[in-house]
Amino acid sequence: MMHRLRSYMPILYWGRTYDSSAFSNDLIAAVIVTIMLIPQSLAYALLAGLPPEAGIYTSIAPIVLYAIFGTSRALAVGPVAVVSLLTASAIGQVAEAGTAGYAIAALTLAFLSGGFLVVLGVLRLGFLANFLSHPVIAGFITASGILIATSQLKHILGVSAHGHTMPEMLGSLLVHLGDINWITVLIGVCAAGFLFWVRGNLKPLLKRLGTGPLLTDFLSKGGPVVAVVATTVAVWAFGLADQGVKIVGDVPQSLPPLTVPGLSFDLLGALLVPAILISIIGFVESVSVAQTLAAKKRQRIDPDQELIGLGAANLGAAFTGGFPVTGGFSRSVVNYDAGAETPAAGIFTAIGLAIAAIALTPLVYFLPNATLAATIIVAVLSLVDFSILWKTWAYSRADFTAVVATILLTLGLGVEVGVAAGVAISILLHLYKTSRPHVAEVGLVPGTQHFRNIHRHDVETSDSVVTLRVDESLYFVNARFLEDLIQTRVTQGCAIRHVVLMFSAVNEVDYSALESLEAINARLTDMGVGLHLSEVKGPVMDRLKRSHLIHELNGKVFLSQFDAWDQLSNREVSQAAE
């Protein structure tokens, strides 16, 4: 019973061995991550179209819940750029930004996402995330990064633009070019320039100056805080808010409130599909980060339990004034590099953010929106990776097509269409690749018992025996392809007396493929050609034995391809001699 409970609550496992050394390392990591998270949380709330305090609230309870139920020792959960953009896109369709309905829709979206993730975790369905191929994910994230950066230009320019797609946003910006506030532009450009400089140059500079590793990390990650403090002081000191610079304004000085998501059937129905898409994207991003960091310390994560951990985090956000969350790449890497040893670092981070929510929120009253926008732009541009285009072009034109289609659809039609298209393209890409499986005609490598492709190697062949190595599992999509290929090959040579299907790479034969094999057997029987199988894997053979194929097969099933070659080619030689 206790073992089962620990599998669902990993805190009961790592908590037993928690010591003072882990405590000090986790505490230091938490301080660094907290400093990074304060401006990030405010910025991602802005991106989601919610009040700034929602970003702080979203970064408290979800972190604690993930620490209890998650399996990664370093993953930092909270609002992230892509999920925040998806949130804005989804709830923008059902409510107007700034209204109570908008905030309730955000809670409902987090509730649905959390529930969906928990259900997947309990049912052990984490494998469903594999339906998104890496090229499609890379294309979607690249397009999302461009969309996010573009969406923040209105805050940098100080104009009231709108839109969820690239054409809409650019068109709206052009219409409002005459409304640009140049003081806001100066603040935004200076903040962005400073943050880009910090990201690329501060750490090497501090190392050259002989600063210690811990202090170097602390200062290099504190760039956004410096930008926030400097621009806030400037707006306050020079009265820039009276000159049209938009600021954060009043932020409630309180801990996250208890909230209840909207449960009306209309709202649930409108947000269900977006919630599923957000859950899948968030899970894929989170698990990728968690597995990468775990591998560095030879640890492992449980993807199915990660579903439960992320689901609990999202449910926590739904009941504490937040919006959907997932594991963030940048903050998780910072958490890892800062020395976090256990998920307790996340709990300490939540405590730090709770203190900030109570004590520091009055200090951000004069914080310009342009600074938060600059923080978002600098963060998301690291997500943009155009190298995936020429990498896939050089390796696989099908993958390249999938990447380009995902990018264009996301930019042109919005993130929800982009995600849905990404899932559809991933599935179609798999079906396309497996619909025409690689089938190689093989021959015997002289002096060995190995068989290789006759077009790649100098091998022995027989005019009467044709061996086809099937390099893919057989199912309804590709079954007919094999029928046609064998029919074509047999009619090319009248001397053919035996066809051997080498099944060493076949892991599955579904019922459609079974019927195709039966049809092939019947046709070859009518043509006076024997059909044989070789190197059939045990599980495949077990299923074939439950069918009529093995009993009606006009040939044999050979344990190895060499046995098939030895018996069939020698038989033909003997018959020719007679």
Side-chain angles (χ1 to χ4, degrees):
M1 179 65 180
M2 182 57 69
H3 176 74
R4 185 172 181 81
L5 187 60
R6 285 175 186 162
S7 68
Y8 283 108
M9 298 180 66
I11 190 173
L12 298 177
Y13 174 77
W14 59 262
R16 292 183 306 160
T17 58
Y18 199 69
D19 54 24
S20 58
S21 174
F23 172 78
S24 60
N25 290 334
D26 287 342
L27 188 60
I28 292 172
V31 171
I32 295 174
V33 174
T34 300
I35 291 173
M36 175 185 180
L37 266 183
I38 292 173
Q40 264 197 5
S41 299
L42 298 172
Y44 291 146
L46 179 72
L47 177 59
L50 292 161
E53 64 269 16
I56 299 291
Y57 297 161
T58 306
S59 301
I60 297 178
I63 297 178
V64 176
L65 288 168
Y66 178 80
I68 295 172
F69 295 100
T71 60
S72 172
R73 299 291 182 103
L75 190 70
V77 170
V80 301
V82 174
V83 171
S84 297
L85 177 65
L86 287 166
T87 298
S89 175
I91 61 182
Q93 306 297 320
V94 299
E96 184 178 348
T99 64
Y102 193 91
I104 291 174
L107 300 176
T108 305
L109 192 63
F111 174 76
L112 289 171
S113 296
F116 179 71
L117 288 167
V118 169
V119 169
L120 288 184
V122 171
L123 297 179
R124 320 298 285 179
L125 297 177
F127 69 90
L128 291 177
N130 296 334
F131 285 110
L132 273 175
S133 69
H134 175 72
V136 166
I137 293 172
F140 172 74
I141 291 178
T142 292
S144 297
I146 297 171
L147 278 179
I148 292 169
T150 305
S151 72
Q152 297 308 297
L153 291 179
K154 62 183 180 183
H155 298 296
I156 298 291
L157 300 176
V159 300
S160 300
H162 64 275
H164 296 291
T165 67
M166 183 63 72
E168 290 175 353
M169 287 188 285
L170 292 178
S172 185
L173 286 173
L174 289 174
V175 170
H176 291 87
L177 282 180
D179 302 329
I180 290 177
N181 184 295
W182 292 105
I183 299 176
T184 300
V185 173
L186 179 63
I187 293 172
V189 170
C190 289
F194 171 74
L195 291 173
F196 275 119
W197 179 83
V198 167
R199 179 173 288 242
N201 301 291
L202 182 58
K203 199 169 201 176
L205 176 62
L206 292 174
K207 286 183 178 179
R208 287 197 299 270
L209 295 176
T211 309
L214 186 60
L215 183 59
T216 297
D217 282 339
F218 185 82
L219 293 176
S220 61
K221 304 305 180 187
V225 176
V226 174
V228 165
V229 172
T231 55
T232 300
V233 170
V235 170
W236 168 74
F238 297 105
L240 299 181
D242 297 328
Q243 300 181 45
V245 175
K246 296 180 180 179
I247 58 176
V248 168
D250 286 314
V251 177
Q253 198 171 353
S254 67
L255 291 173
L258 290 177
T259 53
V260 179
L263 299 178
S264 70
F265 287 112
D266 290 341
L267 184 60
L268 292 174
L271 295 178
L272 180 60
V273 173
I276 292 173
L277 296 178
I278 287 173
S279 300
I280 294 173
I281 289 294
F283 174 65
V284 170
E285 179 180 354
S286 179
V287 166
S288 298
V289 176
Q291 288 177 333
T292 299
L293 297 179
K296 292 183 178 181
K297 290 190 175 182
R298 297 191 177 185
Q299 298 168 348
R300 66 175 297 274
I301 67 164
D302 180 354
D304 291 314
Q305 183 60 31
E306 283 297 289
L307 284 166
I308 295 176
L310 291 174
N314 277 280
L315 290 175
F319 290 98
T320 55
F323 54 96
V325 299
T326 192
F329 176 77
S330 57
R331 71 172 65 100
S332 296
V333 171
V334 170
N335 196 37
Y336 177 87
D337 289 342
E341 291 191 18
T342 73
I347 297 176
F348 299 147
T349 298
I351 294 172
L353 289 169
I355 294 172
I358 296 173
L360 301 182
T361 49
L363 301 180
V364 300
Y365 180 89
F366 289 102
L367 172 61
N369 289 344
T371 301
L372 295 179
T375 302
I376 293 172
I377 290 173
V378 173
V380 301
L381 286 183
S382 63
L383 302 175
V384 178
D385 178 21
F386 287 116
S387 67
I388 191 67
L389 292 173
W390 50 82
K391 287 177 182 176
T392 52
W393 175 263
Y395 186 76
S396 168
R397 300 300 164 83
D399 286 329
F400 171 80
T401 302
V403 172
V404 171
T406 303
I407 290 176
L408 294 179
L409 288 171
T410 302
L411 292 177
L413 300 177
V415 287
E416 288 185 25
V417 174
V419 175
V423 174
I425 290 171
S426 295
I427 296 173
L428 290 174
L429 190 60
H430 170 74
L431 294 176
Y432 170 76
K433 289 178 177 179
T434 57
S435 67
R436 300 178 62 82
H438 182 259
V439 179
E441 184 172 343
V442 298
L444 179 67
V445 178
T448 74
Q449 295 185 8
H450 299 292
F451 290 79
R452 292 293 184 269
N453 194 321
I454 64 172
H455 300 298
R456 294 177 179 269
H457 301 273
D458 185 14
V459 293
E460 296 178 11
T461 61
S462 169
D463 291 337
S464 61
V465 180
V466 172
T467 297
L468 301 174
R469 190 188 66 220
V470 184
D471 293 334
E472 183 71 60
S473 291
L474 297 175
Y475 69 121
F476 65 95
V477 172
N478 59 26
R480 188 58 183 269
F481 174 83
L482 183 63
E483 282 189 55
D484 295 340
L485 186 145
I486 292 175
Q487 182 74 14
T488 301
R489 179 64 185 88
V490 171
T491 56
Q492 287 178 347
C494 58
I496 296 175
R497 292 291 176 266
H498 303 282
V499 172
V500 183
L501 296 182
M502 188 175 174
F503 268 25
S504 55
V506 177
N507 297 313
E508 177 73 20
V509 176
D510 76 356
Y511 191 78
S512 297
L514 173 65
E515 290 187 328
S516 289
L517 290 175
E518 291 175 343
I520 292 169
N521 182 61
R523 289 176 188 171
L524 293 182
T525 300
D526 293 340
M527 299 169 66
V529 178
L531 176 63
H532 310 269
L533 305 178
S534 73
E535 301 191 10
V536 183
K537 293 184 177 180
V540 176
M541 191 64 192
D542 290 340
R543 297 187 68 176
L544 292 179
K545 284 180 178 179
R546 296 200 295 267
S547 70
H548 297 291
L549 176 65
I550 299 301
H551 304 294
E552 297 176 356
L553 194 68
N554 66 10
K556 295 182 178 181
V557 178
F558 294 95
L559 183 64
S560 71
Q561 177 55 36
F562 183 77
D563 289 342
W565 169 266
D566 185 50
Q567 292 188 34
L568 297 177
S569 60
N570 286 338
R571 180 192 304 173
E572 294 302 321
V573 170
S574 300
Q575 290 177 351
E578 293 175 359

